[in-house]
Amino acid sequence: MRRRGINLSNQSQDLYEKISDLSRRRGIFWTSFEIYGGVAGFYDFGPVGVLIKRNIANQWLKHFVYTKENVVEVETPIINPRIVFKASGHEDHFTDPVVECLKCKRVYRADHLIKDLLKINVEGWHPENITNLIKDNNLKCPECGGELSAVFNALLLFTTQIGPYRGETAYLKPEHAQGMFINFPQLFKISRSKLPLGIAQIGRVSRNEISPRQGLLRLREFNIMEVEFFFDPEEADEEVKEVLEEIKDEKLRVITADMRLNNIEEPAEFTVNELINEKIVKTPWLAYWMGVGNRFLRSLGIPWDKIRFVEKLPHEKAHYSAQTFDQEVYTQRFEWVEVAGYAYRTTYDIERHAEYSGKDFMVFKRYEEPQVIVVEKVTPTPTTIEKIVGKENLGRVMRILSQIKPDDIAKELNTKGFIEVEGFKLPSECFQIKKEEVKVHGKKIYPHVVEPSFGLERLLYVVLEYSYHEREDKVVLRLPPYLAPYHVAVFPLLAGRKIEHIKMVSIARKIYKDLVNQGFRVLYDEEGSIGRRYARADEIGVPYAVTVDHQTIEDDTVTIRDRDTTEQIRIEISKITKFLLEKIGIGTLV
RNA sequence: GCGGCGGUCGUCUAGCCUGGAUCAGGACGCCGGCCUGCCACGCCGGAGAUCCCGGGUUCAAAUCCCGGCCGCCGCACCA
């Protein structure tokens, strides 16, 4: 028998190319705007691609939201007014200082150019100051010797306007985080004012990358799945224990910043518990979510030893982060690829939004027992003060005193014996000091934040890499059943014109309909030989295929073929549902 | 953004160096028909290419030259 098949024989193709080919052929993804020449950094997703993506997202929801009592999901706008990213620091940090050669039009990173030529670190400098530095040192284009332009900031945020006509400047969000921070006070109330509180979001973000490449791995518009997890750092050790049991023994492969500084490249193994106990993480919640993320990736079919966590070095971290780990997956062409980041954002973001909005982002933390504290109440006595400052100055001095915190006055008096106002030394006699007992029920704190954040398209790519197999020159996508675009395929063995064939088709169609109505995603196909249909289903990862054959007409049984083994079993039609639920898992039929 | 290489039906490719007879050829895939008792079987037929885009050279450009777009690799970049 002659072997046919699509062109998989091209030996020079690496996995990346094979996946790109498969994806184009079977409707997973391809580059956008192709008829107009294409635009780098944008991809379209086809019928199969959107289904797999949605399944990955559902799996994420299961791990990060639905199974976590204190995590809720929100959706916030893509377009944000400028103030949001001023407050977040993006307008200052999500930007590169750039100079252009006026002669040859080459563009340079200004900070890198100066570091190379003058050995000066200008990170964080204002563009104007960098421009002056260039002028003062008479720096020229290193390539052609031409004059350099003024330094300007290349902003990596997409810009737009709110309002079609002379609108307000706005940005497309590059991450979801701000949407959750802004809504924290509201969601905290809705969630009955309890910490810890996780706020999750899935959706599109965009980044105006300078030079996107590497297919799905670096897009200008993509989906992020993110949790902002708010907690009280003082209670973290205790509170994490309540949920740690399920994940504490999850083993992670980790390269710490220390290891990197010592040139150790091979990850060390830690359980979540060990990460916490050995103080490798700055908050136990970071380790907790890393554990959840590790298990999530394994559930996507990524082998344990192809996942690693790499701690960022201080200079690699984002402006808001106290500690960051990247979660990476090994790929054939690009080696280790970041699929998630775990950042300890502390109070940075909500403090900034509090500052810029003037709203209160603090939460009240109730003490277990009200604390009785003794406060010294300090009241100035004008008559005594007047004797020292004179009548004409009394009003002014009193006003100034009223603006100083009583605590600070008391402190001054206790240490120096007087407080100085406008050059006058006012001794204790000028104040009435009363000790009062006050019941304090709690205090206000800014919650800290840990953020696990996943790139959905990157996950799609690594999932495809690890599910891609070839069997006798044919592609088999060994997706975990709950990620497959269809749970099951239904085929009539033959679909010709004979009475028997017509019966097969009608039974198969009925099975298809029944399964769809039960919530399964089902692929029905009657075109081409049965072998060809199996092959088509294999290529998009359909885990099971039900075939209606001659025997079905006799006794209501069908065969079910397993995608990975190609083995078939025969079962009664009435038992298909039970079989599928057992194999696929009912919890995944979201 | 810089440099190198590349871009021909959905896919892989022949043709490009040495411009002209190719209506741009083939294979696989796709569609229709026949056949078919379980793994891309066979037979017949069919659709499918802006030769990446634009300009130039030439009597004549898929082919030569220039610019752009896109892709790959290296550098840079990746809050």
Side-chain angles (χ1 to χ4, degrees), chain A residues 349-577:
Chain A
D349 302 270
I350 51 174
E351 281 199 55
R352 295 272 298 195
H353 285 299
E355 183 191 336
Y356 277 71
S357 67
K359 299 288 190 290
D360 185 8
F361 278 71
M362 298 185 99
V363 305
F364 183 72
K365 181 181 175 185
R366 183 174 288 279
Y367 297 142
E368 283 185 19
E369 293 288 320
Q371 290 181 12
V372 179
I373 56 165
V374 179
V375 289
E376 289 188 325
K377 221 175 171 188
V378 184
T379 327
T381 44
T383 45
T384 328
I385 294 173
E386 187 182 342
K387 286 178 191 157
I388 293 171
V389 305
K391 204 173 182 173
E392 65 278 15
N393 293 320
L394 181 62
R396 199 156 32 106
V397 169
M398 287 301 287
R399 213 175 305 127
I400 292 167
L401 280 173
S402 73
Q403 283 167 15
I404 306 174
K405 279 190 202 148
D407 272 2
D408 292 338
I409 297 177
K411 215 186 282 165
E412 285 278 288
L413 294 176
N414 285 337
T415 51
K416 291 197 231 161
F418 63 86
I419 180 163
E420 198 168 321
V421 177
E422 296 265 291
F424 300 108
K425 287 179 181 171
L426 307 175
S428 309
E429 290 82 60
C430 297
F431 302 89
Q432 214 182 17
I433 300 172
K434 266 198 282 185
K435 292 197 174 177
E436 256 179 38
E437 286 194 347
V438 182
K439 258 193 184 175
V440 183
H441 293 273
K443 62 176 177 182
K444 294 195 102 178
I445 60 159
Y446 279 115
H448 282 219
V449 174
V450 161
E451 171 203 85
S453 168
F454 287 82
L456 178 52
E457 284 75 8
R458 288 185 173 190
L459 288 176
L460 172 65
Y461 180 75
V462 297
V463 161
L464 291 174
E465 267 218 4
Y466 282 99
S467 55
Y468 186 98
H469 290 82
E470 287 175 13
R471 180 168 61 211
E472 295 169 5
D473 266 4
K474 289 176 279 185
V475 177
V476 182
L477 214 51
R478 291 191 175 154
L479 293 167
Y482 42 82
L483 295 187
Y486 301 96
H487 296 120
V488 61
V490 176
F491 306 139
L493 178 61
L494 297 164
R497 285 192 185 147
K498 292 180 189 160
I499 295 276
E500 207 174 25
H501 297 173
I502 292 166
K503 278 186 185 164
M504 283 184 210
V505 169
S506 125
I507 295 170
R509 283 208 166 269
K510 181 167 188 316
I511 293 172
Y512 163 76
K513 216 170 177 187
D514 287 347
L515 290 173
V516 166
N517 285 336
Q518 289 171 58
F520 293 100
R521 288 186 306 277
V522 189
L523 179 73
Y524 178 81
D525 192 352
E526 60 179 45
E527 300 189 11
S529 72
I530 189 72
R532 178 166 300 220
R533 283 176 272 159
Y534 286 144
R536 279 200 284 251
D538 285 345
E539 270 196 324
I540 57 173
V542 183
Y544 300 102
V546 168
T547 303
V548 172
D549 58 15
H550 300 271
Q551 196 179 327
T552 309
I553 299 167
E554 310 295 320
D555 65 3
D556 283 343
T557 61
V558 291
T559 61
I560 297 190
R561 169 188 179 271
D562 183 294
R563 174 194 69 199
D564 299 335
T565 63
T566 75
E567 276 165 21
Q568 279 171 294
I569 57 163
R570 182 166 282 279
I571 68 168
E572 290 164 34
I573 291 174
S574 58
K575 290 186 177 149
I576 297 174
T577 303

Side-chain angles (χ1 to χ4, degrees), chain A residues 44-154:
Chain A
D44 290 345
F45 294 87
V48 174
V50 294
L51 288 170
I52 300 175
K53 266 171 84 171
R54 188 165 300 138
N55 294 340
I56 293 173
N58 282 336
Q59 193 65 11
W60 181 85
L61 283 167
K62 192 173 148 194
H63 279 84
F64 282 83
V65 184
Y66 298 158
T67 56
K68 305 293 177 275
E69 279 178 40
N70 46 12
V71 180
V72 297
E73 191 187 357
V74 298
E75 205 174 299
T76 67
I78 289 175
I79 297 171
N80 288 228
R82 188 175 178 192
I83 181 76
V84 171
F85 295 110
K86 264 192 178 160
S88 71
H90 280 86
E91 213 180 61
D92 294 329
H93 294 98
F94 202 66
T95 184
D96 292 325
V98 163
V99 277
E100 192 185 24
C101 170
L102 296 172
K103 197 172 146 199
C104 69
K105 302 292 174 195
R106 279 190 175 83
V107 175
Y108 300 94
R109 276 283 297 265
D111 49 343
H112 291 197
L113 191 72
I114 287 170
K115 204 174 182 182
D116 288 347
L117 299 176
L118 303 175
K119 312 283 175 222
I120 299 173
N121 186 359
V122 294
E123 231 182 292
W125 282 34
H126 198 273
E128 227 170 277
N129 297 333
I130 306 177
T131 305
N132 289 335
L133 192 69
I134 289 174
K135 273 192 192 140
D136 294 346
N137 289 280
N138 200 23
L139 296 184
K140 298 280 190 246
C141 171
E143 289 298 320
C144 77
E147 286 290 325
L148 293 173
S149 73
V151 175
F152 56 94
N153 274 332

Side-chain angles (χ1 to χ4, degrees), chain A residues 42 156-160 170-172 206-209 220-221:
Chain A
F42 295 93
L156 301 180
L157 296 172
F158 276 100
T159 310
T160 184
Y171 297 123
L172 276 59
S206 23
R207 303 176 180 187
N208 210 349
E209 299 284 354
R220 285 192 165 120
E221 197 181 308

